[in-house]
Amino acid sequence: MSGRQHRETEMARRIRAKGLAVGQTAAQIAEEIHEACGPQFGTTKIKSHRLSHGIALADVIEQVRALFDRDAKPAPGIGETLLSAYESGLKRPGPEYLHYLCTVYRVEPVSLGYDGPCICGHGHRMTGSSGDEPGEPAGAAADRARQAVQPPPREEPRPDDQEDENILRRTLLQMLNGNSAKKLDGPVLGAIEGIRRRMDETLASSTVSYAMLDQWEEATVAFGRQYTTTAPLRLLCDVVLELSAVRAAMSHRQPIDLQDRLCRMAAQLAGLSGMILINLGDHRLARSFFRTGRVAADETGDRALRAWVIARESLVPLYYGDAREALNLAKKSRDLAGQTPCAAQAMAPVVEARALAMLSSSENKKEVVDQAKKALARARTAFSHIRGDEREDMAFGYTERQLYFYQGDVLTKLGQTVEAEVVLDQALDKYQDHILDQTLIRLDLAQCRLIEGELTEALDVATEALRLLGPDYLTDFIIRPAVALEQAIAKREPDHPGLAAYRALLRQPITTEGIGGA
């Protein structure tokens, strides 16, 4: 413990002893510690509460773990380093950790220095206690409890990070409380765009510990793993909040090695945000985040990272109707990757092949087929040289199942149905745990049946795919290829008996709470 920390602890210990002697509560003692130690030592409100209880970081961690165990939740990842970052103001607790810290200290978020209500929606006094503070009139705790459950007053929007973060936290709160119908509305879009824009400003203008950087990097990797298993809007809020924390650290000039790591995380988090926004159907904001990712990646000088951002960005025009732009971006990504073994070296040729397949016509069909197959061959060769860890990462790397899936998609669009079905069957076997991608693969298989003139089988496969998916995951991402198939079948046989059941599935309400695609 440094001399400064020792003096801070000694002062807090004296204040605590005097407070206990006159019957003050821990919360009242914490306020006095904050008032006395804050100006001299920069003691935050959340740290004041730990000092008012006279306990160490390890004691708080054990209490949080015990509460997680009580609630039958997996052991939390919180440790002394992360709690210390909360207490120093370098990082803000997420909604769940904030709830449990409030429970440990038996106070509301505002007492710990954080705006907004807790995710639980009620106070944090222990069950069975009267709840009145010493010296308060009887029933004062009940009055506080009634105030706690009242909705917070409407705040005037402020053009700063704190307001934008609060909007995203309120969105998370609504989803955690069961509002799965929450949409990507104006305030949420504005908050996300505001944080992205300030990241741009920081990158244009731009002290954090190595331990804190390690934790942020671990969180970034974890978000990548959640990409295909977590509802997009929920994940987007978490990712953008993390991006905001990284931006705050970058607003101060750091040593070169730390700045490089921060820029890398900024590029990955901005790129991941763009990927999620593709799934949510907002291609304009997705492009904005990819541009931010490009600026951050350029700061690192890492060709592989820069190529990855551009390869991911190429999916925006690919999915939203501009195959020629997708082809240009894919070629740019391929050229940037060069001979560097990386995810983009395999991903970019696959996007090229898919764009070429979309541009094919009767006049140049054979030429396009040849070019697309050559691109797929380059992708397979590049994939064989990717590092092992990147082959397991569906967000920041490129996996074998993604390669199979997109090869099958290209062959389907080229009308090479025999080859396509073999590859798609292999892909389907590898996507056992990803229902959204299974659905996209089955829709490609249905398209193969349609090309072969087997309309009934095409409808059977597509109908079963949507039925397995269920209405909760019927996103715009799925609707577009599903409707295209329905229109193609109706054009050939308008009165086909299987169309009614298929259309009934398509008419289910579209949700924004699907799972991220590949």
Side-chain angles (χ1 to χ4, degrees), residues 380-446:
R380 286 191 293 268
T381 301
F383 180 79
S384 66
H385 295 99
I386 294 178
R387 293 198 317 265
D389 57 334
E390 287 191 318
R391 295 188 192 186
E392 303 300 322
D393 192 333
M394 291 190 68
F396 303 121
Y398 206 64
T399 66
E400 186 179 32
R401 55 185 167 189
Q402 286 173 303
L403 184 61
Y404 275 111
F405 175 12
Y406 292 130
Q407 283 186 98
D409 182 66
V410 170
L411 293 168
T412 300
K413 287 180 169 60
L414 292 174
Q416 309 288 297
T417 57
V418 175
E419 293 178 69
E421 289 189 29
V422 172
V423 176
L424 289 170
D425 282 337
Q426 291 174 313
L428 191 61
D429 183 60
K430 294 178 180 295
Y431 275 94
Q432 293 292 334
D433 54 342
H434 295 287
I435 185 61
L436 188 65
D437 293 311
Q438 286 182 39
T439 306
L440 292 170
I441 293 168
R442 289 190 173 98
L443 290 174
D444 271 345
L445 285 168

Side-chain angles (χ1 to χ4, degrees), residues 337-358:
Q339 300 304 311
T340 307
C342 60
Q345 203 178 38
M347 190 188 313
V350 172
V351 177
E352 282 186 62
R354 297 175 77 188
L356 284 166
M358 293 169 65

Side-chain angles (χ1 to χ4, degrees), residues 61-381:
I61 299 302
E62 288 304 320
Q63 289 186 48
V64 171
R65 288 173 179 164
L67 290 168
F68 267 74
D69 184 62
R70 179 200 68 184
D71 295 342
K73 293 184 175 182
I78 190 173
E80 291 186 31
T81 302
L82 185 57
L83 183 55
S84 179
Y86 295 157
E87 292 190 350
S88 64
L90 284 173
K91 196 169 178 65
R92 173 185 171 126
E96 189 172 43
Y97 282 166
L98 180 58
H99 162 66
Y100 283 105
L101 288 171
C102 287
T103 304
V104 168
Y105 297 131
R106 305 182 192 182
V107 294
E108 302 311 308
V110 67
S111 297
L112 299 183
Y114 305 111
D115 295 332
C118 181
I119 60 172
C120 66
H122 54 72
H124 291 87
R125 299 210 162 272
M126 299 298 285
T127 304
S129 105
S130 68
D132 291 327
E133 301 278 11
E136 284 186 326
D143 291 338
R144 287 198 307 274
R146 281 192 295 272
Q147 293 170 4
V149 299
Q150 291 177 352
R154 182 180 297 275
E155 299 178 356
E156 290 298 321
R158 303 191 309 272
D160 57 15
D161 266 343
Q162 189 62 52
E163 175 63 20
D164 289 341
E165 289 181 10
N166 286 342
I167 290 173
L168 297 188
R169 289 190 178 96
R170 285 194 289 270
T171 300
L172 280 173
L173 170 62
Q174 292 172 10
M175 289 188 287
L176 289 170
N177 284 340
N179 183 9
S180 61
K182 178 65 180 174
K183 296 186 181 300
L184 196 63
D185 55 20
V188 176
L189 280 171
I192 291 170
E193 171 64 12
I195 290 175
R196 184 204 66 79
R197 188 177 61 254
R198 278 185 291 279
M199 172 58 82
D200 277 350
E201 293 168 357
T202 299
L203 287 166
S205 66
S206 272
T207 302
V208 61
S209 70
Y210 285 93
M212 197 71 255
L213 276 176
D214 289 342
Q215 293 204 353
W216 280 340
E217 286 171 343
E218 289 170 8
T220 301
V221 172
F223 289 141
R225 287 196 296 266
Q226 296 171 37
Y227 173 59
T228 57
T229 59
T230 302
L233 184 54
R234 168 70 189 277
L235 182 59
L236 181 64
C237 290
D238 285 333
V239 171
V240 176
L241 285 170
E242 198 74 13
L243 181 67
S244 186
V246 171
R247 188 207 68 81
M250 292 177 68
S251 64
H252 305 284
R253 277 294 178 184
Q254 308 289 348
I256 292 176
D257 58 334
L258 298 189
Q259 191 74 7
D260 182 77
R261 289 171 66 182
L262 286 167
C263 285
R264 177 175 297 278
M265 281 186 285
Q268 290 179 319
L269 291 167
L272 184 57
S273 298
M275 292 157 60
I276 299 168
L277 283 160
I278 291 175
N279 295 332
L280 287 170
D282 194 321
H283 56 90
R284 185 202 63 80
L285 193 52
R287 290 300 291 265
S288 296
F289 269 96
F290 284 125
R291 284 195 295 272
T292 297
R294 279 210 225 180
V295 175
D298 286 346
E299 288 288 313
T300 69
D302 186 332
R303 294 174 67 94
L305 179 61
R306 294 163 68 195
W308 173 81
V309 174
I310 295 173
R312 281 295 184 179
E313 183 181 356
S314 68
L315 296 178
V316 179
L318 185 75
Y319 289 140
Y320 290 96
D322 192 344
R324 199 165 297 281
E325 186 189 2
L327 182 61
N328 291 335
L329 284 172
K331 287 180 177 178
K332 184 174 182 178
S333 173
R334 183 192 67 189
D335 293 342
L336 193 56
Q339 300 304 311
T340 307
C342 60
Q345 203 178 38
M347 190 188 313
V350 172
V351 177
E352 282 186 62
R354 297 175 77 188
L356 284 166
M358 293 169 65
L359 291 169
S360 63
S361 63
S362 57
E363 291 80 12
N364 62 355
K365 183 77 172 180
K366 185 179 185 306
E367 181 184 350
V368 168
V369 170
D370 290 341
Q371 289 181 14
K373 287 191 172 182
K374 286 178 182 178
L376 290 178
R378 288 198 303 272
R380 286 191 293 268
T381 301

